[in-house]
Amino acid sequence: EAGVTQFPSHSVIEKGQTVTLRCDPISGHDNLYWYRRVMGKEIKFLLHFVKESKQDESGMPNNRFLAERTGGTYSTLKVQPAELEDSGVYFCASSPTGPSYEQYFGPGTRLTVT
Amino acid sequence: AQRVTQPEKLLSVFKGAPVELKCNYSYSGSPELFWYVQYSRQRLQLLLRHISRESIKGFTADLNKGETSFHLKKPFAQEEDSAMYYCALSGRGGYQKVTFGTGTKLQVIP
């Protein structure tokens, strides 16, 4: 079975442009998470979906970031307009419903804002 | 606020030597503790969690609530253990966000 997939693997954009990252969770996983690692810092939580609902978006840095999960399947994370400090690796993870706490991570999208 | 501290950015050990990756945490209450690992060119994956009390690939981690530590240990390092290791925590119950440390790169020297 395919794991969590993310697209693109790498994106280079100019400051002020818009970028949309996509995450496809493992089929059947209701929980979907977005994380970000900025250079030299820890992996930080951005938000959590349960199906199509935002359960926790306390980690979203500002209103330039918009996450959606229409239909409760794949999710997108849009950054508009992008700033230099948005550069980093964006990870998506999913987990099934149930007592398991294991989150399965995607390979990440490396975003470079120039 | 919840926080995970990994004091070492890089830990180099010789093959066959013992390994200890340090992790300290702060959390109000009783968290779930994890170690994640990322091998070169692979995705982040769960190595072990304290509630399972298991040994994975020879690694163990003991939760010390008094010292708020969750150090990762292995008696004899192998070259294939070279990777980035992240200590992490989450709240108990339900589906909680995971808070990560900054990671420690383990380099096993042949």
Side-chain angles (χ1 to χ4, degrees), chain B residues 33-90:
Chain B
L33 274 299
F34 310 88
W35 276 97
Y36 280 82
V37 60
Q38 188 170 23
Y39 300 101
S40 179
R41 298 190 185 86
Q42 294 188 28
R43 61 188 65 193
L44 195 63
Q45 59 187 285
L46 180 67
L47 178 63
L48 56 80
R49 49 189 164 182
H50 91 276
I51 58 172
S52 300
R53 292 188 168 274
E54 56 194 348
S55 173
I56 303 293
K57 300 184 178 182
F59 284 98
T60 58
D62 290 322
L63 176 60
N64 185 322
K65 292 183 180 180
E67 295 181 357
T68 59
S69 68
F70 188 56
H71 304 326
L72 183 68
K73 299 177 183 179
K74 184 170 182 176
F76 308 105
Q78 303 298 315
E79 288 181 64
E80 56 265 31
D81 296 330
S82 295
M84 196 75 182
Y85 290 80
Y86 295 92
C87 184
L89 66 76
S90 72

Side-chain angles (χ1 to χ4, degrees), chain A residues 2-101:
Chain A
V4 176
T5 57
Q6 293 187 244
F7 182 83
S9 58
H10 192 185
S11 178
V12 181
I13 61 171
E14 292 183 353
K15 176 182 171 181
Q17 289 186 320
T18 297
V19 64
T20 300
L21 314 180
R22 173 170 169 145
C23 168
D24 285 77
I26 293 173
S27 178
H29 282 193
D30 288 340
N31 296 284
L32 187 150
Y33 307 80
W34 283 99
Y35 294 86
R36 175 174 77 167
R37 182 177 63 212
V38 173
M39 180 72 75
K41 299 199 172 182
E42 68 269 29
I43 300 169
K44 278 195 171 180
F45 167 83
L46 295 178
L47 88 160
H48 168 211
F49 283 99
V50 177
K51 297 185 179 179
E52 65 271 15
S53 300
K54 291 176 185 175
Q55 185 75 9
D56 180 355
E57 52 184 329
S58 60
M60 294 289 264
N62 52 61
N63 59 11
R64 295 186 293 104
F65 289 74
L66 175 64
E68 296 181 322
R69 192 183 182 194
T70 306
T73 54
Y74 71 91
S75 174
T76 58
L77 180 65
K78 180 190 288 188
V79 185
Q80 180 183 29
E83 297 289 343
L84 298 178
E85 64 264 25
D86 300 332
S87 295
V89 181
Y90 290 76
F91 294 100
C92 175
S94 70
S95 70
T97 302
S100 169
Y101 292 97

